[in-house]
């Protein structure tokens, strides 16, 4: 987020159902998940998210299950890249789904935070606070933050919309320009429907965000 992108600092941020305080997710009570039913086993996926080889730093291949929806050729055209559904790609794609469906704090600790770096939970918690924009801004009223646009669905179960509400309110209190576009009863990744200006809702949800960026980034789109 804007507190960590300082060289250079972004002129504006678009927060699309983003986590601004990760602590509720990394401190969840763990449970016993159902055995995973996919191409790869739980053990293979566990090893994958624990891999620290820098040659394997990329761990997400796609947003969700694009490899099931599109041919390699079609996805390659959409991404303007050469796409091969080899074992590495499929493992990356499935690991993302596996983590998301299981939603275990232990997976988050390993995959994103590399929790093995910290000697105890206290130091891990301190690090978590240090990367949570909402927590930092609430504790330090002098920290600047770029103009921010928020896009979120009220039925988002992956990232509660309250995260956007709280972040937007905090920024407004300190005079940071903010625009909020929320859609009722929409889930996580609801914006996938907005494929172009002709889609209903574009003018009320997407266009205001684009105009906000034009205003603060200083680039006029044709």
């Amino acid at each position: 987020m804007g507190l960590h992108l300082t060289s250079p600092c972004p002129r504006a941020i678009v927060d699309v159902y983003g986590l601004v305080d990760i602590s509720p997710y990394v401190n969840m009570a763990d449970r016993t998940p159902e055995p995973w039913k996919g191409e790869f086993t739980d053990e293979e996926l566990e090893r994958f998210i624990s891999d620290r080889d820098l040659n394997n730093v990329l761990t997400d291949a796609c947003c969700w299950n694009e490899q099931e929806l599109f041919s390699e050729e079609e996805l390659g055209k959409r991404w303007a890249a050469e796409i091969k559904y080899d074992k590495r790609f499929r493992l990356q794609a499935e690991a993302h789904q596996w983590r998301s469906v299981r939603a275990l704090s232990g997976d988050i600790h390993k995959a994103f935070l590399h929790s093995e770096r910290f000697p105890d939970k206290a130091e891990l918690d301190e690090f978590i606070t240090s990367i949570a924009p909402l927590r930092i801004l609430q504790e330090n009223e002098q920290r600047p933050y770029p103009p921010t646009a928020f896009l979120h669905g009220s039925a988002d179960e992956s990232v509660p919309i309250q995260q956007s509400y709280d972040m937007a309110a905090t920024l407004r209190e300190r005079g940071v320009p903010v625009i909020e576009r929320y859609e009722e009863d929409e889930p996580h990744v609801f914006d996938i429907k907005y494929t172009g200006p002709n889609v209903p809702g574009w003018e009320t949800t997407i266009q205001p965000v684009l105009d906000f960026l034009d205003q603060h980034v200083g680039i006029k789109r044709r």
Side-chain angles (χ1 to χ4, degrees):
M1 298 292 285
L3 291 173
H4 307 290
L5 303 174
T6 57
S7 184
C9 180
R11 297 180 186 176
I13 287 177
V14 180
D15 184 334
V16 185
Y17 38 79
L19 277 172
V20 292
D21 183 4
I22 195 176
S23 56
Y25 294 83
V26 297
N27 292 317
M28 296 184 299
D30 269 345
R31 51 187 172 73
T32 302
E34 295 292 326
W36 179 252
K37 296 179 181 179
E39 178 182 355
F40 302 96
T41 65
D42 286 297
E43 290 74 18
E44 289 175 302
L45 295 165
E46 181 84 23
R47 284 196 299 272
F48 179 72
I49 68 169
S50 301
D51 187 354
R52 300 295 178 254
D53 185 338
L54 292 180
N55 293 318
N56 300 326
V57 66
L58 181 63
T59 59
D60 284 358
C62 52
C63 179
W64 195 249
N65 64 335
E66 287 90 334
Q67 76 277 12
E68 298 173 9
L69 302 176
F70 307 106
S71 67
E72 292 176 341
E73 181 180 7
E74 184 175 3
L75 191 63
K77 288 180 179 178
R78 288 171 178 262
W79 286 3
E82 182 179 354
I83 300 296
K84 295 294 182 184
Y85 294 156
D86 55 19
K87 181 178 179 181
R88 172 70 184 186
F89 185 102
R90 300 193 312 275
L91 179 59
Q92 290 173 311
E94 192 166 312
H96 174 57
Q97 296 179 63
W98 178 74
R99 286 198 313 262
S100 301
V101 170
R102 282 161 50 104
L104 300 181
S105 61
D107 294 344
I108 297 174
H109 291 170
K110 292 174 189 172
F112 302 127
L113 302 176
H114 295 192
S115 54
E116 72 276 2
R117 297 178 299 160
F118 303 95
D120 52 45
K121 188 176 183 300
E123 288 202 20
L124 175 60
D125 287 344
E126 183 179 353
F127 173 72
I128 290 168
T129 298
S130 76
I131 62 173
L134 179 60
R135 301 276 291 276
I136 295 172
L137 291 173
Q138 289 174 337
E139 294 175 5
N140 185 349
E141 296 183 0
Q142 304 306 314
R143 288 293 294 269
Y145 203 84
T148 303
F150 293 89
L151 191 66
H152 217 135
S154 67
D156 191 334
E157 295 183 357
S158 298
V159 179
I161 196 171
Q162 191 65 45
Q163 293 244 346
S164 288
Y165 290 160
D166 292 345
M167 186 68 174
T170 298
L171 294 178
R172 285 188 189 279
E173 287 175 359
R174 60 190 57 196
V176 176
V178 166
I179 185 173
E180 298 170 85
R181 285 297 179 268
Y182 305 127
E183 290 205 9
E184 289 297 318
D185 302 319
E186 289 288 356
H188 199 59
V189 200
F190 74 93
D191 54 311
I192 195 172
K193 65 186 178 183
Y194 290 120
T195 56
N198 295 326
V199 176
W202 179 280
E203 288 299 320
T204 55
T205 300
I206 303 301
Q207 191 60 51
V209 171
L210 298 178
D211 293 341
F212 180 86
L213 293 178
D214 284 345
Q215 176 185 353
H216 294 285
V217 174
I219 298 175
K220 193 66 177 178
R221 290 177 294 107
R222 294 180 178 179

